[in-house]
Amino acid sequence: GQQLNQSPQSMFIQEGEDVSMNCTSSSIFNTWLWYKQDPGEGPVLLIALYKAGELTSNGRLTAQFGITRKDSFLNISASIPSDVGIYFCAGQLWGGADGLTFGKGTHLIIQP
Amino acid sequence: DAGITQSPRHKVTETGTPVTLRCHQTENHRYMYWYRQDPGHGLRLIHYSYGVKDTDKGEVSDGYSVSRSKTEDFLLTLESATSSQTSVYFCAISASGGTDTQYFGPGTRLTVL
């Protein structure tokens, strides 16, 4: 099956810094999604990308769907304490009603 | 937040016992999914449903069965639980599958002793 390589696995940053994480795949996806998961909760959708080259923002978050359809990145600007959590990328094939393929997550830790 | 609940939220059981987890949605979405989340593996699809009584296997379906007798409920059953099935289980829903986004429930933490 498809595999997503998400990096970095963890990030230790200072409050106010910008954050960048990415996902790459050996397969082409038609949709890229970015989720955030807080401890003890389910993943919450942050941004959905549907077209190659698409750049989408949601507040301080910006994500891009790579031109090759095999990668995506997520940037967080001016990080704040509530950004702490695990961020997952997920890819879906066109007509892929059979679910998402997830990366293994980036654990974001913010030091005051 | 999408109207998705999971029950129970926590369960401890013994090896060899049957276990059923329930996912309930109030959104009338057609598609429902069960994932498990394990350290180092992210989320992996177990089974999914594309309508009442219509289900199919995902990446890690061995040892699991599902049923969907009505739109709002999707049940995941472990016929004979094993320690390798200790995990956090998430249900997700989407309106139309395909490229439609999925919304996740709060999860069930299952421990098999």
Side-chain angles (χ1 to χ4, degrees), chain A residues 49-100:
Chain A
L49 303 159
Y50 300 106
K51 286 174 55 176
E54 179 181 357
L55 184 71
T56 297
S57 293
N58 178 8
R60 294 177 296 105
L61 279 61
T62 302
Q64 185 159 30
F65 191 145
I67 291 291
T68 65
R69 297 180 178 271
K70 293 183 177 182
D71 63 316
S72 178
F73 72 75
L74 175 71
N75 288 341
I76 305 173
S77 62
S79 59
I80 60 177
S82 62
D83 290 335
V84 166
I86 303 177
Y87 292 79
F88 291 97
C89 63
Q92 188 166 41
L93 297 172
W94 178 260
D98 57 346
L100 301 171

Short mmCIF file of all heavy atoms in Angstrom, two decimals, chain A residues 49-100:
data_model
loop_
_atom_site.label_atom_id
_atom_site.label_comp_id
_atom_site.label_asym_id
_atom_site.label_seq_id
_atom_site.Cartn_x
_atom_site.Cartn_y
_atom_site.Cartn_z
N LEU A 49 -6.45 20.05 0.77
CA LEU A 49 -5.91 20.50 -0.51
C LEU A 49 -6.37 19.55 -1.59
O LEU A 49 -6.22 18.34 -1.47
CB LEU A 49 -4.37 20.51 -0.45
CG LEU A 49 -3.76 21.37 0.65
CD1 LEU A 49 -2.34 20.91 0.96
CD2 LEU A 49 -3.76 22.83 0.25
N TYR A 50 -6.88 20.10 -2.69
CA TYR A 50 -7.51 19.27 -3.71
C TYR A 50 -6.87 19.36 -5.09
O TYR A 50 -7.22 18.58 -5.98
CB TYR A 50 -9.00 19.62 -3.83
CG TYR A 50 -9.77 19.42 -2.55
CD1 TYR A 50 -10.18 20.50 -1.79
CD2 TYR A 50 -10.08 18.14 -2.09
CE1 TYR A 50 -10.89 20.33 -0.61
CE2 TYR A 50 -10.79 17.95 -0.91
CZ TYR A 50 -11.20 19.03 -0.18
OH TYR A 50 -11.89 18.85 0.98
N LYS A 51 -5.97 20.34 -5.28
CA LYS A 51 -5.36 20.52 -6.60
C LYS A 51 -3.86 20.66 -6.50
O LYS A 51 -3.36 21.35 -5.61
CB LYS A 51 -5.91 21.80 -7.26
CG LYS A 51 -7.33 21.70 -7.76
CD LYS A 51 -7.82 23.06 -8.24
CE LYS A 51 -6.92 23.67 -9.29
NZ LYS A 51 -7.45 24.95 -9.81
N ALA A 52 -3.15 20.03 -7.43
CA ALA A 52 -1.69 20.16 -7.46
C ALA A 52 -1.32 21.63 -7.57
O ALA A 52 -1.89 22.38 -8.37
CB ALA A 52 -1.12 19.38 -8.63
N GLY A 53 -0.35 22.04 -6.74
CA GLY A 53 0.08 23.43 -6.72
C GLY A 53 -0.74 24.32 -5.81
O GLY A 53 -0.34 25.46 -5.53
N GLU A 54 -1.84 23.84 -5.31
CA GLU A 54 -2.72 24.65 -4.47
C GLU A 54 -2.02 25.07 -3.19
O GLU A 54 -1.35 24.28 -2.55
CB GLU A 54 -3.99 23.85 -4.15
CG GLU A 54 -4.99 24.57 -3.26
CD GLU A 54 -6.21 23.69 -2.97
OE1 GLU A 54 -6.28 22.57 -3.51
OE2 GLU A 54 -7.07 24.13 -2.18
N LEU A 55 -2.19 26.34 -2.85
CA LEU A 55 -1.66 26.89 -1.60
C LEU A 55 -2.85 27.42 -0.82
O LEU A 55 -3.58 28.28 -1.32
CB LEU A 55 -0.66 28.01 -1.90
CG LEU A 55 0.06 28.63 -0.72
CD1 LEU A 55 1.08 27.66 -0.13
CD2 LEU A 55 0.77 29.92 -1.15
N THR A 56 -3.05 26.93 0.38
CA THR A 56 -4.23 27.28 1.16
C THR A 56 -3.82 27.70 2.56
O THR A 56 -2.94 27.08 3.17
CB THR A 56 -5.20 26.10 1.23
OG1 THR A 56 -5.65 25.78 -0.08
CG2 THR A 56 -6.40 26.42 2.10
N SER A 57 -4.47 28.74 3.07
CA SER A 57 -4.18 29.22 4.42
C SER A 57 -5.40 29.09 5.31
O SER A 57 -6.54 29.16 4.84
CB SER A 57 -3.73 30.68 4.38
OG SER A 57 -2.48 30.79 3.73
N ASN A 58 -5.12 28.90 6.58
CA ASN A 58 -6.16 28.87 7.61
C ASN A 58 -5.57 29.57 8.83
O ASN A 58 -4.91 28.96 9.66
CB ASN A 58 -6.53 27.42 7.94
CG ASN A 58 -7.57 27.33 9.04
OD1 ASN A 58 -8.12 28.35 9.48
ND2 ASN A 58 -7.84 26.13 9.50
N GLY A 59 -5.78 30.88 8.90
CA GLY A 59 -5.16 31.66 9.97
C GLY A 59 -3.66 31.68 9.82
O GLY A 59 -3.13 32.05 8.78
N ARG A 60 -2.95 31.22 10.87
CA ARG A 60 -1.49 31.21 10.83
C ARG A 60 -0.94 29.97 10.12
O ARG A 60 0.27 29.79 10.03
CB ARG A 60 -0.94 31.27 12.25
CG ARG A 60 -1.23 32.58 12.98
CD ARG A 60 -0.72 32.56 14.43
NE ARG A 60 -1.43 31.56 15.21
CZ ARG A 60 -0.90 30.40 15.57
NH1 ARG A 60 0.36 30.08 15.24
NH2 ARG A 60 -1.61 29.54 16.29
N LEU A 61 -1.81 29.12 9.65
CA LEU A 61 -1.39 27.89 8.98
C LEU A 61 -1.47 28.06 7.47
O LEU A 61 -2.43 28.62 6.94
CB LEU A 61 -2.29 26.73 9.39
CG LEU A 61 -2.02 26.02 10.70
CD1 LEU A 61 -2.15 26.94 11.89
CD2 LEU A 61 -2.94 24.83 10.86
N THR A 62 -0.44 27.55 6.79
CA THR A 62 -0.43 27.54 5.33
C THR A 62 0.04 26.16 4.88
O THR A 62 1.01 25.63 5.41
CB THR A 62 0.53 28.60 4.77
OG1 THR A 62 0.13 29.88 5.24
CG2 THR A 62 0.51 28.59 3.25
N ALA A 63 -0.65 25.60 3.91
CA ALA A 63 -0.28 24.29 3.39
C ALA A 63 -0.28 24.33 1.87
O ALA A 63 -1.01 25.11 1.25
CB ALA A 63 -1.24 23.20 3.89
N GLN A 64 0.58 23.53 1.29
CA GLN A 64 0.65 23.46 -0.17
C GLN A 64 0.62 22.02 -0.65
O GLN A 64 1.19 21.12 -0.03
CB GLN A 64 1.90 24.14 -0.71
CG GLN A 64 1.93 24.19 -2.24
CD GLN A 64 2.83 25.25 -2.81
OE1 GLN A 64 3.83 25.62 -2.20
NE2 GLN A 64 2.48 25.76 -3.98
N PHE A 65 -0.05 21.82 -1.76
CA PHE A 65 -0.14 20.55 -2.47
C PHE A 65 0.95 20.57 -3.53
O PHE A 65 0.92 21.40 -4.43
CB PHE A 65 -1.54 20.48 -3.11
CG PHE A 65 -1.94 19.15 -3.67
CD1 PHE A 65 -3.26 18.76 -3.59
CD2 PHE A 65 -1.05 18.30 -4.31
CE1 PHE A 65 -3.68 17.55 -4.14
CE2 PHE A 65 -1.46 17.10 -4.84
CZ PHE A 65 -2.79 16.73 -4.76
N GLY A 66 1.91 19.67 -3.44
CA GLY A 66 3.04 19.69 -4.35
C GLY A 66 2.64 19.44 -5.80
O GLY A 66 1.68 18.72 -6.10
N ILE A 67 3.40 20.04 -6.70
CA ILE A 67 3.13 19.93 -8.13
C ILE A 67 3.17 18.49 -8.61
O ILE A 67 2.40 18.08 -9.48
CB ILE A 67 4.17 20.76 -8.93
CG1 ILE A 67 3.93 22.24 -8.68
CG2 ILE A 67 4.07 20.46 -10.42
CD1 ILE A 67 2.65 22.77 -9.27
N THR A 68 4.06 17.70 -8.04
CA THR A 68 4.18 16.30 -8.46
C THR A 68 3.07 15.42 -7.90
O THR A 68 2.96 14.25 -8.25
CB THR A 68 5.52 15.71 -7.99
OG1 THR A 68 5.53 15.67 -6.55
CG2 THR A 68 6.69 16.53 -8.50
N ARG A 69 2.24 15.97 -7.01
CA ARG A 69 1.18 15.24 -6.30
C ARG A 69 1.72 14.24 -5.30
O ARG A 69 0.96 13.45 -4.73
CB ARG A 69 0.24 14.51 -7.28
CG ARG A 69 -0.52 15.40 -8.19
CD ARG A 69 -1.41 14.58 -9.11
NE ARG A 69 -2.20 15.43 -9.97
CZ ARG A 69 -3.40 15.90 -9.67
NH1 ARG A 69 -3.96 15.58 -8.53
NH2 ARG A 69 -4.05 16.67 -10.50
N LYS A 70 3.03 14.25 -5.08
CA LYS A 70 3.63 13.29 -4.16
C LYS A 70 4.11 13.92 -2.87
O LYS A 70 4.78 13.27 -2.07
CB LYS A 70 4.80 12.58 -4.85
CG LYS A 70 4.39 11.69 -6.01
CD LYS A 70 5.61 10.96 -6.57
CE LYS A 70 5.22 10.01 -7.68
NZ LYS A 70 6.39 9.27 -8.21
N ASP A 71 3.81 15.20 -2.67
CA ASP A 71 4.26 15.81 -1.44
C ASP A 71 3.39 17.00 -1.05
O ASP A 71 2.63 17.54 -1.86
CB ASP A 71 5.73 16.25 -1.57
CG ASP A 71 5.92 17.31 -2.64
OD1 ASP A 71 5.34 17.16 -3.74
OD2 ASP A 71 6.63 18.29 -2.37
N SER A 72 3.52 17.35 0.22
CA SER A 72 2.79 18.50 0.75
C SER A 72 3.55 19.03 1.95
O SER A 72 4.28 18.28 2.61
CB SER A 72 1.38 18.07 1.19
OG SER A 72 0.66 19.16 1.75
N PHE A 73 3.41 20.32 2.19
CA PHE A 73 4.02 20.88 3.40
C PHE A 73 3.00 21.70 4.18
O PHE A 73 2.01 22.16 3.63
CB PHE A 73 5.27 21.69 3.09
CG PHE A 73 5.00 23.03 2.43
CD1 PHE A 73 4.50 24.11 3.17
CD2 PHE A 73 5.27 23.23 1.09
CE1 PHE A 73 4.26 25.33 2.57
CE2 PHE A 73 5.03 24.45 0.49
CZ PHE A 73 4.52 25.50 1.22
N LEU A 74 3.29 21.85 5.47
CA LEU A 74 2.48 22.68 6.35
C LEU A 74 3.40 23.64 7.09
O LEU A 74 4.41 23.22 7.65
CB LEU A 74 1.72 21.83 7.37
CG LEU A 74 0.93 22.60 8.43
CD1 LEU A 74 -0.28 23.28 7.81
CD2 LEU A 74 0.49 21.68 9.56
N ASN A 75 3.07 24.92 7.04
CA ASN A 75 3.80 25.92 7.80
C ASN A 75 2.89 26.54 8.84
O ASN A 75 1.70 26.78 8.58
CB ASN A 75 4.31 27.04 6.87
CG ASN A 75 5.46 26.58 6.00
OD1 ASN A 75 6.11 25.58 6.30
ND2 ASN A 75 5.70 27.28 4.93
N ILE A 76 3.46 26.80 10.01
CA ILE A 76 2.76 27.51 11.07
C ILE A 76 3.59 28.74 11.39
O ILE A 76 4.78 28.63 11.71
CB ILE A 76 2.60 26.66 12.34
CG1 ILE A 76 1.91 25.32 12.00
CG2 ILE A 76 1.81 27.42 13.40
CD1 ILE A 76 1.88 24.35 13.18
N SER A 77 3.00 29.89 11.30
CA SER A 77 3.76 31.11 11.58
C SER A 77 3.50 31.56 13.01
O SER A 77 2.42 31.36 13.57
CB SER A 77 3.36 32.22 10.61
OG SER A 77 2.00 32.54 10.76
N ALA A 78 4.53 32.17 13.60
CA ALA A 78 4.43 32.77 14.93
C ALA A 78 3.76 31.82 15.93
O ALA A 78 2.68 32.10 16.45
CB ALA A 78 3.69 34.10 14.86
N SER A 79 4.38 30.70 16.19
CA SER A 79 3.77 29.65 17.02
C SER A 79 3.39 30.17 18.41
O SER A 79 4.04 31.05 18.99
CB SER A 79 4.74 28.48 17.17
OG SER A 79 5.95 28.89 17.75
N ILE A 80 2.30 29.60 18.92
CA ILE A 80 1.79 29.93 20.25
C ILE A 80 1.62 28.63 21.03
O ILE A 80 1.60 27.54 20.44
CB ILE A 80 0.45 30.70 20.16
CG1 ILE A 80 -0.60 29.86 19.44
CG2 ILE A 80 0.65 32.04 19.47
CD1 ILE A 80 -1.97 30.53 19.38
N PRO A 81 1.51 28.71 22.35
CA PRO A 81 1.45 27.48 23.15
C PRO A 81 0.36 26.48 22.73
O PRO A 81 0.58 25.27 22.80
CB PRO A 81 1.21 28.01 24.57
CG PRO A 81 1.88 29.34 24.58
CD PRO A 81 1.62 29.91 23.21
N SER A 82 -0.77 26.96 22.28
CA SER A 82 -1.85 26.05 21.91
C SER A 82 -1.59 25.30 20.61
O SER A 82 -2.35 24.41 20.22
CB SER A 82 -3.18 26.79 21.81
OG SER A 82 -3.11 27.77 20.79
N ASP A 83 -0.49 25.62 19.93
CA ASP A 83 -0.11 24.87 18.73
C ASP A 83 0.51 23.52 19.08
O ASP A 83 0.69 22.67 18.20
CB ASP A 83 0.89 25.67 17.89
CG ASP A 83 0.28 26.89 17.23
OD1 ASP A 83 -0.95 26.89 17.01
OD2 ASP A 83 1.03 27.84 16.94
N VAL A 84 0.82 23.31 20.33
CA VAL A 84 1.41 22.05 20.76
C VAL A 84 0.47 20.90 20.41
O VAL A 84 -0.73 20.99 20.59
CB VAL A 84 1.69 22.07 22.28
CG1 VAL A 84 1.97 20.66 22.79
CG2 VAL A 84 2.84 23.00 22.59
N GLY A 85 1.04 19.83 19.91
CA GLY A 85 0.24 18.66 19.56
C GLY A 85 0.94 17.83 18.51
O GLY A 85 2.12 18.06 18.20
N ILE A 86 0.23 16.88 17.95
CA ILE A 86 0.78 16.05 16.89
C ILE A 86 0.06 16.40 15.60
O ILE A 86 -1.18 16.41 15.54
CB ILE A 86 0.63 14.56 17.20
CG1 ILE A 86 1.31 14.23 18.53
CG2 ILE A 86 1.25 13.73 16.08
CD1 ILE A 86 1.14 12.78 18.96
N TYR A 87 0.83 16.66 14.57
CA TYR A 87 0.29 17.03 13.28
C TYR A 87 0.47 15.84 12.32
O TYR A 87 1.56 15.28 12.22
CB TYR A 87 1.01 18.27 12.73
CG TYR A 87 0.70 19.50 13.53
CD1 TYR A 87 1.34 19.74 14.74
CD2 TYR A 87 -0.24 20.43 13.09
CE1 TYR A 87 1.04 20.86 15.50
CE2 TYR A 87 -0.54 21.56 13.84
CZ TYR A 87 0.09 21.77 15.04
OH TYR A 87 -0.21 22.87 15.79
N PHE A 88 -0.60 15.51 11.64
CA PHE A 88 -0.57 14.40 10.69
C PHE A 88 -0.90 14.90 9.29
O PHE A 88 -1.84 15.66 9.10
CB PHE A 88 -1.61 13.34 11.05
CG PHE A 88 -1.31 12.57 12.30
CD1 PHE A 88 -1.90 12.93 13.50
CD2 PHE A 88 -0.46 11.48 12.27
CE1 PHE A 88 -1.64 12.22 14.67
CE2 PHE A 88 -0.18 10.77 13.43
CZ PHE A 88 -0.78 11.15 14.63
N CYS A 89 -0.15 14.42 8.33
CA CYS A 89 -0.57 14.57 6.95
C CYS A 89 -1.34 13.31 6.55
O CYS A 89 -1.15 12.24 7.15
CB CYS A 89 0.62 14.78 6.02
SG CYS A 89 1.76 13.38 5.96
N ALA A 90 -2.20 13.43 5.58
CA ALA A 90 -2.95 12.28 5.08
C ALA A 90 -3.20 12.49 3.60
O ALA A 90 -3.45 13.61 3.16
CB ALA A 90 -4.27 12.11 5.84
N GLY A 91 -3.12 11.40 2.87
CA GLY A 91 -3.36 11.47 1.44
C GLY A 91 -4.51 10.56 1.05
O GLY A 91 -4.79 9.56 1.72
N GLN A 92 -5.19 10.96 0.01
CA GLN A 92 -6.31 10.15 -0.47
C GLN A 92 -6.28 10.12 -1.99
O GLN A 92 -6.03 11.14 -2.64
CB GLN A 92 -7.64 10.71 0.00
CG GLN A 92 -8.83 9.82 -0.31
CD GLN A 92 -10.06 10.24 0.46
OE1 GLN A 92 -10.33 11.41 0.59
NE2 GLN A 92 -10.81 9.27 0.98
N LEU A 93 -6.56 8.91 -2.52
CA LEU A 93 -6.62 8.77 -3.97
C LEU A 93 -7.96 9.26 -4.48
O LEU A 93 -8.95 9.28 -3.74
CB LEU A 93 -6.43 7.30 -4.36
CG LEU A 93 -5.09 6.68 -3.99
CD1 LEU A 93 -5.12 5.18 -4.24
CD2 LEU A 93 -3.98 7.34 -4.78
N TRP A 94 -8.02 9.62 -5.73
CA TRP A 94 -9.28 10.01 -6.32
C TRP A 94 -10.24 8.83 -6.25
O TRP A 94 -9.87 7.72 -6.61
CB TRP A 94 -9.09 10.43 -7.78
CG TRP A 94 -10.38 10.80 -8.43
CD1 TRP A 94 -11.14 10.04 -9.24
CD2 TRP A 94 -11.07 12.03 -8.25
NE1 TRP A 94 -12.26 10.73 -9.62
CE2 TRP A 94 -12.26 11.95 -9.03
CE3 TRP A 94 -10.81 13.19 -7.53
CZ2 TRP A 94 -13.18 13.00 -9.09
CZ3 TRP A 94 -11.73 14.24 -7.60
CH2 TRP A 94 -12.90 14.13 -8.37
N GLY A 95 -11.45 9.10 -5.79
CA GLY A 95 -12.43 8.02 -5.65
C GLY A 95 -12.04 7.07 -4.55
O GLY A 95 -12.60 5.98 -4.44
N GLY A 96 -11.10 7.50 -3.71
CA GLY A 96 -10.61 6.62 -2.65
C GLY A 96 -11.53 6.57 -1.46
O GLY A 96 -11.17 7.00 -0.38
N ALA A 97 -12.70 6.03 -1.63
CA ALA A 97 -13.63 5.93 -0.51
C ALA A 97 -13.12 4.98 0.54
O ALA A 97 -13.68 4.87 1.62
CB ALA A 97 -14.99 5.46 -1.01
N ASP A 98 -12.04 4.28 0.23
CA ASP A 98 -11.50 3.31 1.17
C ASP A 98 -10.57 3.93 2.19
O ASP A 98 -9.76 3.24 2.78
CB ASP A 98 -10.78 2.19 0.41
CG ASP A 98 -9.67 2.72 -0.48
OD1 ASP A 98 -9.63 3.94 -0.71
OD2 ASP A 98 -8.86 1.90 -0.95
N GLY A 99 -10.67 5.19 2.46
CA GLY A 99 -9.96 5.76 3.59
C GLY A 99 -8.71 6.53 3.22
O GLY A 99 -8.34 6.63 2.06
N LEU A 100 -8.08 7.07 4.26
CA LEU A 100 -6.90 7.89 4.12
C LEU A 100 -5.65 7.10 4.46
O LEU A 100 -5.69 6.17 5.27
CB LEU A 100 -7.00 9.09 5.07
CG LEU A 100 -8.20 10.02 4.87
CD1 LEU A 100 -8.27 11.01 6.02
CD2 LEU A 100 -8.12 10.72 3.54
#
